[in-house]
Amino acid sequence: MKVKAGNVSADISGTLEAHLKQVVDTVYGELRDQLEAIGDTIVSSSESTWYTQVTRRTGETGRIESELRLSTEKLSVVVLPEATKRTYMVRRPGANSTITRLATQAEYSAAMSRYRLTGQLPEEWTRDGVKFSEGRPVGLVKRTPNPKASDGKLLWQELVIRPGKALGAKLKREGSSAIGEAVKRKGG
């Protein structure tokens, strides 16, 4: 085995080579396990809250999964929708988000009774959602605050990327001791 650091290289063989391979395999295995745990944590937390924060469900995302990716420079865990393998730019509703709905038969009847008496619609029926036909309101629409109103941020970033960065930072802080313990356990 040839080891290179900067401009210096050295050949390693025999017992030292076997020991070094065992340490590398142990460290790789420990890192893989920790990254898989991070991916699984993010998947379970994001899947449980993904559809609670959006109104329209297309089902395009399907299940969310994590996968390990190994390149020549790094080992990483990637969290993405299983069906499409791409992220989504879904925004949570903003703080001022409202929901509009048509009046039920009973609500329409009550609003029309008041309209006939006073010439005005009740306050909860907004003017911009009301159309007039032959002097009478039709298609009454009521605006109410959206119960899912939030900060309007991107859902994927809030549920997957930010928690992933936080767990990755925790792995950097605490991972070296776990890797050292794994090397000691396996005789490194």
Side-chain angles (χ1 to χ4, degrees):
M1 175 189 294
K2 194 170 212 161
V3 178
K4 186 175 180 183
N7 294 332
V8 180
S9 64
D11 287 324
I12 298 175
S13 63
T15 309
L16 183 57
E17 180 181 13
H19 183 69
L20 187 58
K21 282 184 179 180
Q22 181 182 4
V23 168
V24 169
D25 289 344
T26 302
V27 168
Y28 170 76
E30 186 65 27
L31 277 175
R32 182 194 63 227
D33 293 346
Q34 289 184 15
L35 286 173
E36 283 177 344
I38 287 173
D40 292 343
T41 301
I42 293 169
V43 165
S44 64
S45 68
S46 60
E47 264 189 337
S48 65
T49 55
W50 178 263
Y51 279 125
T52 62
Q53 298 189 30
V54 294
T55 308
R56 200 182 85 198
R57 296 182 183 196
T58 62
E60 273 188 57
T61 54
R63 288 182 31 84
I64 298 172
E65 68 175 11
S66 65
E67 64 182 42
L68 283 175
R69 293 189 181 167
L70 176 64
S71 69
T72 55
E73 297 176 7
K74 66 180 177 178
L75 174 66
S76 59
V77 65
V78 180
V79 177
L80 51 138
E82 183 180 59
T84 60
K85 303 286 188 201
R86 63 176 190 231
T87 59
Y88 287 86
M89 295 297 133
V90 176
R91 288 191 182 274
R92 293 193 284 210
N96 298 325
S97 174
T98 59
I99 295 175
T100 58
R101 67 173 181 81
L102 285 172
T104 64
Q105 183 64 36
E107 290 171 331
Y108 182 79
S109 178
M112 287 308 296
S113 294
R114 175 137 180 227
Y115 181 76
R116 284 186 206 101
L117 289 174
T118 64
Q120 292 183 341
L121 290 170
E123 284 182 25
E124 63 265 20
W125 302 104
T126 57
R127 219 48 181 151
D128 60 3
V130 178
K131 295 183 175 104
F132 287 88
S133 171
E134 299 176 14
R136 292 183 350 192
V138 294
L140 295 179
V141 176
K142 186 176 192 176
R143 288 188 189 275
T144 56
N146 188 346
K148 295 180 182 178
S150 182
D151 52 12
K153 293 187 178 177
L154 293 175
L155 203 53
W156 192 259
Q157 184 170 347
E158 293 297 310
L159 296 179
V160 176
I161 295 172
R162 281 211 176 117
K165 285 183 179 180
L167 289 170
K170 182 179 177 186
L171 175 61
K172 280 183 182 178
R173 286 191 311 271
E174 301 170 3
S176 59
S177 61
I179 291 168
E181 291 170 15
V183 170
K184 286 179 188 174
R185 270 195 321 269
K186 298 196 176 174

